[in-house]
Amino acid sequence: MSAQGTVLVVAVPAAVLGAASFGLASAIQHRVTKQVPKVRTLSPRLLFDLVRKPIWVLSIGTVIIGLSLQVVALAFGPLVLVQPLLVTSVLFGAAFAAWLAHRKMDLVLALGGLACVGGLSAFLVLGRPSGQGNEFTGASILPLALALGLLIVVSLLAARWLPGEVGVIGMAVATGVFYGVTAGLIKVVAGHFRSGGLAEPFHHWSLYAVCVIGPMGFLLSQQTFQRGRLMSPALAVITTVDPLVAAAIGVNWLGERIESSPAILVGEVISVVVIIGGIVVLTRRGEQLRRAMEERERNDGTTDSSWG
């Protein structure tokens, strides 16, 4: 089978199934995190509280399945192809959240999610991602690393000082950066595994970096779900920032390629604008629904944090 055929038969289905697994896990975790006390940002105490919830533990199995499928997809497909496909977890997550809450999906939230997915899909088609970068190219990683670190700091400060869904979006951006960096490192680890067998990754620092950065991103995602009244806006931001960061890492650190002629760049910029528009729609609609839910709770004395 040709390399292109392998990508279509193995990498693409694995990425989509992985996205479904992540979407289901996110829907479950968004509900369960509301049932435990809030803690300070990146405090591991949250995990100690959550592990006592059997359904949350079950969701971790779903995450592991998704991660396994992601590793398979990254082993056979380029980073800038696999990560954008994972953004479909937004739609899977919204559908699963509506199903768990016995509700219909909110149309505006669904349209916002579709804008994110459509924008990334257009970016993917225009960019024609190629290359199989499994090792760092030797180019300096410092400029992009500093930029990503600064983005995390600014996002977490915004999350601390800004109220409502806007602050939640700050946490979601930071989570997406952590996830995107983790994906880039997983790509390197998967390459080591394919070239040298099971023991090879243990000889490289990238595996140990994944073991640190990955859990930090996961913990922050749980706190993001806990703080946000709605799942879809935060999940859309996480799954949009994640592949954009991963694409930047693939191109800058791993030597992967995307098309960049002037005409295609214009299309790619339009695609990014559509993505941002989708995030704005999700954020505004999320804030509207949050206020409606708070008004409903004041009127009938109930608490309902299960809307997608």
Side-chain angles (χ1 to χ4, degrees), residues 14-44:
V16 173
L17 290 174
S21 299
F22 289 138
L24 176 58
S26 297
I28 294 173
Q29 291 162 5
H30 180 261
R31 292 175 65 89
V32 178
T33 52
K34 300 293 191 298
Q35 302 170 12
V36 298
K38 293 183 179 181
V39 297
R40 60 184 177 85
T41 303
L42 291 176
S43 171

Side-chain angles (χ1 to χ4, degrees), residues 33-108:
T33 52
K34 300 293 191 298
Q35 302 170 12
V36 298
K38 293 183 179 181
V39 297
R40 60 184 177 85
T41 303
L42 291 176
S43 171
R45 178 184 169 187
L46 177 63
L47 297 182
F48 289 111
D49 293 331
L50 288 171
V51 78
R52 300 173 185 171
K53 302 288 185 179
I55 187 64
W56 184 86
V57 176
L58 180 62
S59 76
I60 299 304
T62 307
V63 171
I64 292 173
I65 292 173
L67 285 173
S68 300
L69 290 166
Q70 182 183 15
V71 170
V72 171
L74 287 171
F76 291 95
L79 183 65
V80 288
L81 168 65
V82 171
Q83 287 306 110
L85 288 174
L86 292 176
V87 80
T88 56
S89 63
V90 175
L91 300 181
F92 286 114
F96 283 127
W99 175 64
L100 291 172
H102 306 288
R103 299 181 185 274
K104 295 181 179 180
M105 287 181 60
D106 182 84
L107 179 59
V108 178

Side-chain angles (χ1 to χ4, degrees), residues 264-288:
I264 288 179
L265 278 176
V266 171
E268 290 171 348
V269 169
I270 294 174
S271 300
V272 172
V273 171
V274 172
I275 293 169
I276 294 172
I279 292 174
V280 170
V281 169
L282 286 166
T283 305
R284 294 187 63 179
R285 182 58 173 171
E287 190 66 23
Q288 292 172 354

Side-chain angles (χ1 to χ4, degrees), residues 116-138:
C116 292
V117 174
L120 273 175
S121 298
F123 184 90
L124 176 66
V125 171
L126 292 169
R128 297 179 185 176
S130 61
Q132 281 283 19
N134 295 322
E135 293 284 354
F136 294 109
T137 61

